[in-house]
Amino acid sequence: MTAAKPLTVLIADDTKTDRMILESIVKKEGHLVVSAENGVEAIEVYNAVRPDIVLLDVLMPELDGVGAARAIKEAAGDEMVPIIFLTSLNDTDSLVRCLEAGGDDFLSKPYNRFILQAKIKAFSRMRDMHTTMRKQRNQIQLNNDHMLQEQAVAKQVFDNIAHSGCLHASNVRYFMSPLAVFNGDVLVGALRPSGSMLILLGDFTGHGLPAAIGAMPLASTFYGMAHKGFSLSDILQEINQKLKSTLPIGLFCCATMVEMNFKRNYVRVWNGGLPDCFVYRAKAGTIETVKSSHLPLGVVGGKDFKDDSCYLELEPGDRLFLWSDGIHEARNASGEMFGEERLVSVFDKVSDGEVIFDSILNAVQKFAGEGERDDDLSLVELSMVTPNNIAQLQDHYGSTSARGLTEWSLSFEVKAGSFRYFDPLPLLLNIVQSVPSLRKHGGNLYTILAELYSNALEHGVLKLDSALKKSADGFLKYYELRTERLETTTGSVTFGIAHKLTSEGGVLTIQVKDTGDGFNYKKYQRKDGNLTYSGRGMNLLNDLCRRVEYKGNGNEVEIEFVWQDDH
Amino acid sequence: MSNLDTAAIEMLKTVMEDDFAMLLDTFFEDSLQRIADLKRHVNDRDPEAFRKTAHSLKGSASNLGALTMTQLCLQAEEMGMASNLDGAENLVSEIDREYHAVSRKLETFR
Amino acid sequence: MGIRTSYSADTNFLTIAVEGRFDFSAHQEFRAAYEEADPQPAGFNVDMSETNYLDSSALGMLLLLRDHAGGDGANITIENCSADVKKILTISNFEQLFTIK
């Protein structure tokens, strides 16, 4: 009868008779035997041979079994070495000492061959299991280390994308776990060139890397667009589209996005899937809620996605509170959730808006208990106060190219030789549209530029009379003359275009001057400066522009095109 | 008086095979040494050493199926544990006698 | 947690009942319930009468079911929701995608 796998068994006993008997029993099972006559020798042999199982007599000279067991267990470290004490001990104290020293079992005299064989088999199996477990545990540990390292790298990438934010603005307070992005929570904030602030708090479905992956395109889209002056709805549309097209179905992002306009004291709030956010009115000490009225980001694409936001007028000192569901779902020891009622009662208890933020955190942490600090907790407070570090924040963007072209002017002259071959309109339209908010007005801007240019070229430089076009013959004549005069003209058309931002949006000014004779515009001029004259596409221009003004002897015209934020 | 568990001896013989004779010699050698030690510990009035030796002798005696000798060694061990060696001299003599009786019987199994 | 399925008499509808917590741990079973349904029904009922908790990964699973059942053309009813479950569906405005009873 031999075991499947021979083990090495250490037998330590100072009585030679007993040792001999044990050696025979163990050898009969097919195992290898190493022996020791006292505790010190047992430790030496253990260290030299590293046996699989140790049989230790309790009473031995030099060092007894208890001392030897301690030393062997310590030397074994992580490895499992079953120690079986050999004894006929009949007092409990000694048994307890043996167990405390790391003894796993006892074998009493007289030795029974079958019992010993059964014990060795059982411990051999246990040892194998332990070895497997240790291997798996080490593998898990390794995998976990690896994952943490990957997370650190991923977090670094995310931070690099998100670093340009304005979350350190003096009117923003937030609490988020440092690794929140791996819980699916993401917070981004930026100032638009106009000085209004955009904040987005998102909560992706799931945890870990899948949740963090979605945060990357969200953050890069947000920052890329906010700094260029895109509006809340433009950014939401773009993020939604990006998430919808890149994330697998089932992965999406509940989010609240806020725009704060400090000059006109209003906020716009869009909530898709996050708990109601609270508006704290400082004077009255009351709260209003902004409910989620949209699907989360990344669920539906195209026209099904709705970007309409809730408009609220605030007063300086009012505060907005945003949160992911981590606060509502924080649980106490008995599994109960914090819930909205407790959240509301925090607001009821405070008399000073300043302390709400800390009161909420304290209440949640007290409720959940110290041991159960939830990593999912995300809280953001936005105060309706122009950040006192706004200049510094805006400077920060100014130094990056991300801000885009928003304040500029140009002068552009088309000279005689170019009229026949070159159309300046696409080039100018392209430059004008470098202002993001002007992009959606491309059609109107083209119309304006085209009208102004053809007036300047045809009536100014080429001195063609629009009255000609009233008859069919005249029409033909008009174009013959146009072609003819283009060959010989020496005139030019000069554009002066400028754009600047205002608190509501921006103003585009276009001046066009030609080398022609002009016309007597003064007789058509109304009190407001606009003309009642209906030639030269004036109706259209008056319709599209805030101001159309002729200057000089009528060879110069200046128009203003105004755009508003978010409409 | 001497009491030997013959079934245990037969089992030992099966386990030890050719080494059984050597086992008997070792037992005799061990036991004589331990009995001499017991006498010395009584003279030295050293109950702790007396207890330990009695314990060891008890172990090997039980392994060889020497039931009465095991019993006597247990009494000696308890004496040592109680730190009272009164009458220990007589007990050691008794162990000595029992050992000789047992060893004669054991010889017959060789 | 447990998922049970049953067909309507004409096998046109498959009812998937979710018991206990409807979260990521139900993922495999919930998915198997509709993917392995044979025959594939024309519509699905998700019975939440025994569901006591719903998290965002469950919302994701409902979206996967919707996609499986034809996306915008899917015929899915979520029924017997408790107040808590209904609140979570409402916050996410899922009534725009599902019929919720």
Side-chain angles (χ1 to χ4, degrees), chain A residues 15 17-18 24 28 59 110-111, chain B residues 16-17 30 34 55 60 63:
Chain A
T15 309
T17 313
D18 298 349
S24 292
K28 267 222 140 44
L59 286 180
Y111 296 142
Chain B
M16 302 301 294
E17 293 175 25
D30 270 348
R34 301 261 195 240
H55 176 82
S60 48
N63 270 334

Side-chain angles (χ1 to χ4, degrees), chain A residues 150-360:
Chain A
E150 284 181 343
Q151 285 200 347
V153 174
K155 166 98 168 86
Q156 186 61 50
V157 173
F158 179 76
D159 287 348
N160 286 344
I161 295 172
H163 85 286
S164 48
C166 71
L167 296 176
H168 55 290
S170 61
N171 68 320
V172 179
R173 286 173 86 184
Y174 63 96
F175 176 89
M176 288 188 106
S177 144
L179 283 174
V181 67
F182 297 107
N183 299 323
D185 281 6
V186 53
L187 175 66
V188 287
L191 284 179
R192 301 177 63 201
S194 63
S196 65
M197 184 180 277
L198 292 172
I199 298 279
L200 188 154
L201 174 67
D203 178 5
F204 280 89
T205 22
H207 277 80
L209 230 38
I213 279 171
M216 308 284 174
L218 182 147
S220 66
T221 306
F222 177 88
Y223 286 113
M225 294 181 77
H227 293 174
K228 288 184 194 136
F230 282 98
S231 68
L232 179 115
S233 35
D234 289 339
I235 296 173
L236 282 170
Q237 284 283 0
E238 185 66 23
I239 291 175
N240 180 65
Q241 205 48 46
K242 201 152 266 182
L243 295 183
K244 173 69 185 156
S245 61
T246 53
L247 299 183
I249 287 168
L251 193 58
F252 54 84
C253 181
C254 296
T256 301
M257 185 162 172
V258 178
E259 182 198 346
M260 307 188 81
N261 188 318
F262 303 111
K263 290 174 189 151
R264 286 171 34 204
N265 288 318
Y266 71 79
V267 291
R268 290 182 177 283
V269 183
W270 181 96
N271 185 352
L274 280 187
D276 297 1
C277 66
F278 282 19
V279 180
Y280 176 77
R281 302 270 185 193
K283 265 189 198 151
T286 54
I287 45 177
E288 286 162 36
T289 58
V290 182
K291 286 198 183 329
S292 157
S293 52
H294 298 89
L295 283 163
L297 296 167
V299 175
V300 292
K303 289 196 181 89
D304 292 334
F305 178 75
K306 299 283 182 283
D307 60 25
D308 52 299
S309 51
C310 163
Y311 174 91
L312 289 163
E313 294 197 345
L314 298 186
E315 287 188 43
D318 291 351
R319 287 160 207 268
L320 217 67
F321 292 88
L322 321 180
W323 29 56
S324 62
D325 55 14
I327 288 183
H328 302 66
E329 296 191 356
R331 285 169 191 277
N332 65 9
S334 51
E336 213 180 330
M337 290 203 255
F338 188 71
E340 193 165 303
E341 255 176 60
R342 288 190 183 83
L343 191 53
V344 171
S345 78
V346 173
F347 282 81
D348 290 344
K349 278 178 204 144
V350 300
S351 51
D352 177 7
E354 194 59 37
V355 302
I356 297 175
F357 185 86
D358 291 328
S359 303
I360 294 173

Side-chain angles (χ1 to χ4, degrees), chain A residues 295-486:
Chain A
L295 283 163
L297 296 167
V299 175
V300 292
K303 289 196 181 89
D304 292 334
F305 178 75
K306 299 283 182 283
D307 60 25
D308 52 299
S309 51
C310 163
Y311 174 91
L312 289 163
E313 294 197 345
L314 298 186
E315 287 188 43
D318 291 351
R319 287 160 207 268
L320 217 67
F321 292 88
L322 321 180
W323 29 56
S324 62
D325 55 14
I327 288 183
H328 302 66
E329 296 191 356
R331 285 169 191 277
N332 65 9
S334 51
E336 213 180 330
M337 290 203 255
F338 188 71
E340 193 165 303
E341 255 176 60
R342 288 190 183 83
L343 191 53
V344 171
S345 78
V346 173
F347 282 81
D348 290 344
K349 278 178 204 144
V350 300
S351 51
D352 177 7
E354 194 59 37
V355 302
I356 297 175
F357 185 86
D358 291 328
S359 303
I360 294 173
L361 285 182
N362 287 340
V364 176
Q365 277 162 12
K366 204 171 144 197
F367 176 78
E370 275 307 312
E372 286 291 311
R373 272 278 297 272
D374 212 320
D375 280 344
D376 276 353
L377 229 138
S378 297
L379 171 65
V380 182
E381 179 195 83
L382 304 171
S383 300
M384 196 66 209
V385 184
T386 308
N388 55 28
N389 50 348
I390 194 162
Q392 179 204 336
L393 292 168
Q394 280 186 314
D395 257 11
H396 178 68
Y397 303 138
S399 65
T400 70
S401 58
R403 184 175 179 179
L405 202 52
T406 48
E407 302 248 2
W408 49 272
S409 69
L410 67 78
S411 173
F412 186 81
E413 185 179 11
V414 188
K415 293 200 163 167
S418 298
F419 289 135
R420 273 175 298 158
Y421 310 107
F422 176 71
D423 179 1
L425 299 180
L427 174 74
L428 293 174
L429 189 68
N430 193 29
I431 293 171
V432 166
Q433 288 193 311
S434 65
V435 179
S437 302
L438 285 177
R439 259 171 233 181
K440 56 186 160 204
H441 303 293
N444 288 342
L445 290 170
Y446 185 82
T447 306
I448 294 168
L449 283 166
E451 285 300 324
L452 292 174
Y453 182 59
S454 72
N455 282 346
L457 178 63
E458 295 177 6
H459 306 312
V461 174
L462 302 180
K463 303 185 170 76
L464 295 166
D465 185 352
S466 55
L468 267 179
K469 286 201 271 190
K470 280 175 183 155
S471 69
D473 285 353
F475 201 82
L476 203 65
K477 179 76 181 159
Y478 184 92
Y479 280 97
E480 275 173 15
L481 280 173
R482 188 179 189 275
T483 311
E484 197 184 299
R485 289 181 188 173
L486 273 177

Side-chain angles (χ1 to χ4, degrees), chain B residues 51-88:
Chain B
R51 177 186 72 83
K52 282 185 177 167
T53 306
H55 176 82
S56 294
L57 187 58
K58 182 190 73 179
S60 48
S62 79
N63 270 334
L64 270 287
L67 301 176
T68 309
M69 187 174 160
T70 305
Q71 251 346 92
L72 294 170
C73 289
L74 178 62
Q75 284 176 36
E77 195 182 349
E78 283 165 351
M79 232 178 218
M81 210 176 303
S83 292
N84 181 3
L85 296 187
D86 295 346

